Amino acid sequence: MGESGGQLLRRVLSNPETIEGSVESITFFNEDNGFTVMVIDFHGSPLTVTGELGSISEGEEVKLYGEFAVHQKYGEQFYAVSAERKLPSGTKAMLKYLSSGTVKGIGKKTAKQIIDKFGENAFDILENHPEELATLDNISKKKAYKICEDFKLLYGIRELSMFLAGFDISPGTAAAVWKSWGQFSKEMISENPYILCSEDIGISFKKADEIAKKLEIPFDSKERLIAGAEFVLKDASFKGGHTAFPLESFNFEFIKLLGVTDTEAEFAWEIGTEKKALFITEKDSQKLISLYKYYDAEKYIAKRLKAASHSHNEFDYTELIKIEEAGKGIKYAEKQKEAIGCALTSGLTVLTGGPGTGKTTTLNAIISLYKGQGKTVLITAPTGKAAKRISELTGFSAKTIHRLLEVTFDAAGKSVFSHNEKRLLECDVCVIDEMSMVDTELFAALLLALKKDCRLVLVGDSDQLPSVGAGNVLHDIINSGKLTVVALNEVFRQARESGIVTNAHKIVSGQYPELKATDFFFMQRLDSEAALELVIELVCDRLPRAYGFSPLDDIQVLSPVRKGDLGVESLNRRLQDVLNPQITDTGTGGIYKFRVNDKVMQTANNYDIVWTQGSDSGTGIFNGEIGIVRSIIKEDDSVLIDFDGKLADYTFDMLREVELAYAITVHKSQGSEFDAVVLPLLGGYSKLFCRNLLYTAVTRAKKLLVIVGSRNVVCEMVDNNLQTMRYTLLEEFLKNDG
């Protein structure tokens, strides 16, 4: 019935009409522009209403402003240009409202329980008496408080939602605004709409500009210039991983975005530097501009690492290593002994090396010897998979950096780390694995929470892809030449028997891999459809039959890209249809429809999600964690996902942060290992199809790797060693003696 109001033959009225009614049903809603088609109870009769009204729920009472119109096909309707909303009255309307899924955690079954017990007092209970709500079956005290918080938030943002709806801003964004600035939101936005460009809200600069124009904010206002400058730099960090940006490039992007002159661009960064929002530095005779948070973080990292590197505890460790060798039945190579000795005597050691070079064996010795001295050792990694893997390899417990720092929330509801310079972590030694994945802000936050005399052991492979977040920490540390780096480069005999390991080292050294080995196979398919069909066949039939691999637990499809016939989106849909063809109990989130038993991945850090694991419980599911959908209950707006034993409850709207994970991008696979990897490679963008991406993909496979596609593409990727340039300041700060 309509995705726009274009088919309406409207009668022009001398005065806009005002009508009131309760919402009976929502028949269409376009999330992109807020266009809604709904049916209201208007004086006892159904009336169809259309307009860009944002998200309105069944059961709500609405006052609508607009005009009656005649649709060519559907007859008389009301075309609304704006709406005022209020909570429904009467148990029938209240039940419809609560059953609509508007309030998180309340589905149809729970809504009926609430209305049956509390009647017309239900909304008062939801707003003020969570302890009463907890007396209902299947609602814990914790869940009751969460439901009541969500209801109060929903109630509190109604006026703000109506204000923002005038600028075509969705109610979902209004909730984020309210969370940041509460009752002062409307006043603050009216004075400076560019605050909506903050990371917590995420409105584009262009959209903020539209709002500013309606609010008659001057075109050359300081607020606009500073916001524009910050937006350009945020965009550079998000798209390119830069923590700094060439001033010349910044000026070009700034002028293009704001439509201003060179003089105004210069004025913008002058104001920004005066306010310490921006910083300008010089590196290799080139001026770079950066956001304060990145400048400050990289400056702090450099200061801490240099201080740690100057801390020494010289003693003869050779006897300790001999005792360790005897106890473990191991003979360490000279480079391994060097790394162990550095870690025991220096405040900072960087241990790097490719697969099969003995990093894990070396790290085991370092941890064991420190523990033998009675030292408290914390082991951490940037992702859940990486932490689990290092735990399994070393036998020592490891946590993600986020879990180690313990996420909590400030007064504005913004997530912050509980451990910081005021609440330090209790440890003598901190081992950080997969350092190539650790971005600038996260590393700075971890260092801030460590005691000044805490020894650091940074472990990683600098030939892998850089972090998803801004910065190039491990690369900058190694390139500075100022810190102790031990690079393990000897591939041990047992590892040399693996085609995966030997080919990984060939790739990283610029040699073409041997495309046939006991664990490394290449299958040529030059047509994308044929390649896709072979990938499906390998995952669903051939590899499980030949090797006993589970398509869900053991095999992972990796792709360099998201789009296209061999991108993860296409691969996921095809694999889902073959591996999990169930058509009932689906939940929609983003670009996918989910089914029970689907393999899924969390795609953003979410500190709010509650999980349980046996008698243990906690909050937070993080970017890159892979799980299995265990149940979908539409009536309760509930989806249960199992992340390696952690059971997490999702509502349908939370599924926007979840994607199918039968296939994932190579970037998302960092820090993980899989028994078998299937890698389709058939053409693509030169910036993506490069040597370090191929190397990263190959080193994700433990037992078997199958490349499907073009031999030429594999060779071109090896030849393409032009890694994407990241502008950062850390290397320069480390080199600087000041």
Side-chain angles (χ1 to χ4, degrees):
M1 176 165 53
E3 298 183 7
S4 72
Q7 296 183 52
L8 291 174
L9 302 177
R10 302 195 295 160
R11 298 193 305 270
V12 179
L13 305 178
S14 55
N15 295 303
E17 297 255 12
T18 302
I19 65 171
E20 295 185 32
S22 62
V23 180
E24 293 294 306
S25 63
I26 306 293
T27 56
F28 178 83
F29 176 61
N30 185 324
E31 292 182 4
D32 293 330
N33 58 19
F35 184 80
T36 305
V37 179
M38 63 185 181
V39 176
I40 69 168
D41 181 348
F42 182 56
H43 298 314
S45 299
L47 173 66
T48 297
V49 176
T50 66
E52 293 182 4
L53 304 173
S55 177
I56 290 179
S57 303
E58 293 177 5
E60 284 193 77
E61 302 284 343
V62 290
K63 179 185 283 188
L64 302 164
Y65 300 89
E67 55 194 7
F68 283 95
V70 178
H71 193 282
Q72 291 174 332
K73 182 176 180 181
Y74 299 106
E76 188 172 61
Q77 300 182 353
F78 188 81
Y79 178 75
V81 293
S82 64
E84 291 180 13
R85 305 155 61 189
K86 60 181 181 179
L87 288 173
S89 57
T91 55
K92 182 180 177 182
M94 292 167 76
L95 176 61
K96 182 180 282 290
Y97 176 75
L98 292 178
S99 299
S100 68
T102 299
V103 183
K104 290 181 182 179
I106 299 181
K108 292 180 180 178
K109 184 179 176 182
T110 306
K112 188 173 187 307
Q113 276 186 296
I114 292 171
I115 296 300
D116 285 349
K117 180 158 186 178
F118 303 115
E120 293 194 357
N121 294 322
F123 287 171
D124 178 56
I125 296 294
L126 287 171
E127 187 176 0
N128 302 307
H129 303 289
E131 70 283 355
E132 291 290 319
L133 190 62
T135 63
L136 295 176
D137 293 339
N138 301 319
I139 296 185
S140 66
K141 199 168 186 179
K142 191 171 187 178
K143 185 175 181 180
Y145 275 88
K146 184 72 170 69
I147 288 172
C148 290
E149 282 176 18
D150 289 334
F151 181 80
K152 283 194 286 188
L153 175 65
L154 195 67
Y155 187 80
I157 65 173
R158 287 183 171 276
E159 184 181 351
L160 177 63
S161 292
M162 286 187 283
F163 169 69
L164 293 176
F167 306 114
D168 298 321
I169 294 177
S170 71
T173 302
V177 172
W178 181 271
K179 195 172 182 180
S180 292
W181 302 301
Q183 60 182 321
F184 304 106
S185 299
K186 185 177 176 181
E187 181 181 350
M188 291 173 68
I189 292 166
S190 296
E191 289 180 3
N192 179 15
Y194 297 102
I195 61 173
L196 295 170
C197 296
S198 71
E199 289 182 7
D200 295 329
I201 311 302
I203 292 291
S204 72
F205 182 82
K206 183 180 178 182
K207 183 65 179 177
D209 240 2
E210 292 174 7
I211 298 170
K213 189 174 182 180
K214 291 180 181 178
L215 293 171
E216 299 182 348
I217 305 292
F219 186 75
D220 59 351
S221 70
K222 288 183 180 180
E223 291 79 12
R224 182 174 189 263
L225 294 176
I226 292 176
E230 291 179 341
F231 189 84
V232 168
L233 293 173
K234 287 174 189 173
D235 195 52
S237 68
F238 177 74
K239 291 179 179 177
H242 307 296
T243 56
F245 207 46
L247 189 58
E248 188 177 340
S249 301
F250 165 82
N251 284 340
F252 176 80
E253 295 295 337
F254 181 84
I255 290 166
K256 185 171 71 172
L257 177 69
L258 276 74
V260 294
T261 64
D262 288 336
T263 303
E264 285 166 313
E266 185 176 339
F267 183 53
W269 49 257
E270 282 180 353
I271 298 170
T273 52
E274 281 176 16
K275 290 179 173 287
K276 290 197 171 181
L278 310 173
F279 275 87
I280 294 175
T281 51
E282 195 165 300
K283 178 182 178 182
D284 300 329
S285 302
Q286 182 181 38
K287 284 189 176 180
L288 298 175
I289 184 169
S290 58
L291 291 169
Y292 172 77
K293 68 173 183 177
Y294 291 132
Y295 174 91
D296 188 53
E298 291 189 304
K299 195 84 173 174
Y300 178 72
I301 290 169
K303 179 183 175 182
R304 284 296 301 265
L305 294 185
K306 285 192 282 189
S309 69
H310 293 146
S311 171
H312 291 282
N313 179 27
E314 295 295 343
F315 70 97
D316 187 357
Y317 50 81
T318 54
E319 279 303 312
L320 285 177
I321 292 179
K322 286 179 182 178
I323 294 169
E324 188 72 13
E325 285 179 323
K328 298 284 177 64
I330 294 172
K331 183 67 177 174
Y332 297 116
E334 288 306 311
K335 271 288 183 184
Q336 289 179 302
K337 290 179 182 178
E338 180 188 340
I340 295 166
C342 284
L344 292 176
T345 58
S346 175
L348 170 67
T349 300
V350 181
L351 177 62
T352 185
T357 57
K359 283 204 309 290
T360 302
T361 304
T362 307
L363 184 57
N364 267 329
I366 293 168
I367 297 169
S368 175
L369 287 168
Y370 262 127
K371 283 184 172 288
Q373 296 176 15
K375 302 293 186 184
T376 303
V377 182
L378 288 181
I379 307 167
T380 188
T383 67
K385 280 285 186 183
K388 183 180 179 184
R389 175 174 164 269
I390 198 63
S391 291
E392 292 170 347
L393 290 173
T394 64
F396 298 106
S397 176
K399 291 182 179 180
T400 65
I401 297 174
H402 288 91
R403 292 205 192 288
L404 197 65
L405 296 177
E406 296 179 19
V407 177
T408 186
F409 301 92
D410 62 16
K414 185 179 179 181
S415 60
V416 293
F417 289 124
S418 175
H419 287 286
N420 49 41
E421 73 277 19
K422 295 179 180 177
R423 186 173 174 241
L424 298 172
L425 290 163
E426 290 298 325
C427 71
D428 303 306
V429 183
C430 185
V431 175
I432 307 157
D433 193 32
E434 295 288 356
M435 265 302 298
S436 64
M437 298 175 62
V438 180
D439 63 64
T440 298
E441 284 190 281
L442 187 58
F443 190 45
L446 177 57
L447 292 177
L448 196 67
L450 295 173
K451 293 184 293 185
K452 294 289 193 292
D453 60 351
C454 178
R455 293 172 177 251
L456 298 169
V457 181
L458 313 183
V459 186
D461 185 344
S462 60
D463 292 314
Q464 289 187 24
L465 292 166
S467 59
V468 175
N472 209 357
V473 177
L474 182 61
H475 176 273
D476 287 349
I477 288 172
I478 294 171
N479 271 25
S480 72
K482 292 289 186 177
L483 305 175
T484 304
V485 178
V486 182
L488 302 179
N489 45 31
E490 179 188 347
V491 181
F492 291 98
R493 182 184 58 78
Q494 187 176 357
R496 287 200 300 270
E497 295 172 2
S498 164
I500 293 170
V501 172
T502 55
N503 278 328
H505 285 276
K506 281 179 177 288
I507 289 165
V508 83
S509 64
Q511 300 176 57
Y512 300 143
E514 294 289 336
L515 295 180
K516 189 175 182 181
T518 55
D519 59 355
F520 190 112
F521 296 96
F522 172 79
M523 305 179 79
Q524 180 141 309
R525 294 292 187 276
L526 300 179
D527 174 74
S528 60
E529 184 58 35
L532 178 59
E533 290 302 325
L534 179 55
V535 170
I536 304 299
E537 185 183 346
L538 286 166
V539 174
C540 303
D541 179 43
R542 291 172 65 169
L543 297 185
R545 188 157 36 87
Y547 298 92
F549 290 139
S550 161
L552 287 183
D553 300 329
D554 303 323
I555 304 172
Q556 184 61 59
V557 178
L558 302 182
S559 175
V561 295
R562 293 187 57 84
K563 303 293 184 181
D565 292 340
L566 296 174
V568 295
E569 292 178 13
S570 173
L571 287 162
N572 269 320
R573 291 191 178 93
R574 288 294 302 276
L575 286 164
Q576 182 191 43
D577 286 340
V578 177
L579 290 171
N580 193 22
Q582 176 182 345
I583 58 173
T584 58
D585 295 335
T586 61
T588 302
I591 59 175
Y592 297 114
K593 286 191 175 180
F594 301 106
R595 305 163 185 169
V596 173
N597 296 323
D598 268 337
K599 183 178 181 179
V600 296
M601 172 185 278
Q602 175 74 16
T603 61
N605 291 333
N606 190 320
Y607 305 103
D608 296 329
I609 298 174
V610 178
W611 54 263
T612 58
Q613 188 170 25
S615 59
D616 192 17
S617 65
T619 59
I621 299 293
F622 301 110
N623 189 356
E625 291 196 55
I626 292 177
I628 303 293
V629 176
R630 296 301 183 197
S631 68
I632 299 175
I633 305 173
K634 288 186 176 180
E635 293 77 13
D636 286 344
D637 185 30
S638 173
V639 179
L640 184 67
I641 303 178
D642 182 347
F643 292 96
D644 281 332
K646 296 196 305 266
L647 298 175
D649 277 311
Y650 282 67
T651 57
F652 279 15
D653 66 313
M654 292 162 65
L655 293 178
R656 296 176 186 280
E657 295 181 348
V658 177
E659 292 185 355
L660 292 175
Y662 301 101
I664 62 176
T665 61
V666 177
H667 283 84
K668 286 287 188 184
S669 74
Q670 285 182 268
S672 300
E673 279 190 331
F674 312 96
D675 283 347
V677 167
V678 179
L679 177 65
L681 295 175
L682 193 62
Y685 306 108
S686 60
K687 282 187 177 181
L688 279 176
F689 281 64
C690 57
R691 185 186 298 175
N692 64 341
L693 184 137
L694 178 61
Y695 174 76
T696 301
V698 168
T699 53
R700 297 311 91 203
K702 287 195 291 186
K703 298 178 181 178
L704 183 72
L705 174 78
V706 184
I707 297 177
V708 176
S710 164
R711 187 183 302 268
N712 288 340
V713 170
V714 175
C715 294
E716 287 167 6
M717 292 179 76
V718 173
D719 291 338
N720 181 11
N721 197 31
L722 299 174
Q723 298 182 24
T724 304
M725 174 68 178
R726 285 195 171 189
Y727 291 101
T728 63
L729 297 173
L730 179 58
E731 182 183 336
E732 189 70 15
F733 289 156
L734 287 168
K735 288 178 178 178
N736 190 332
D737 293 329

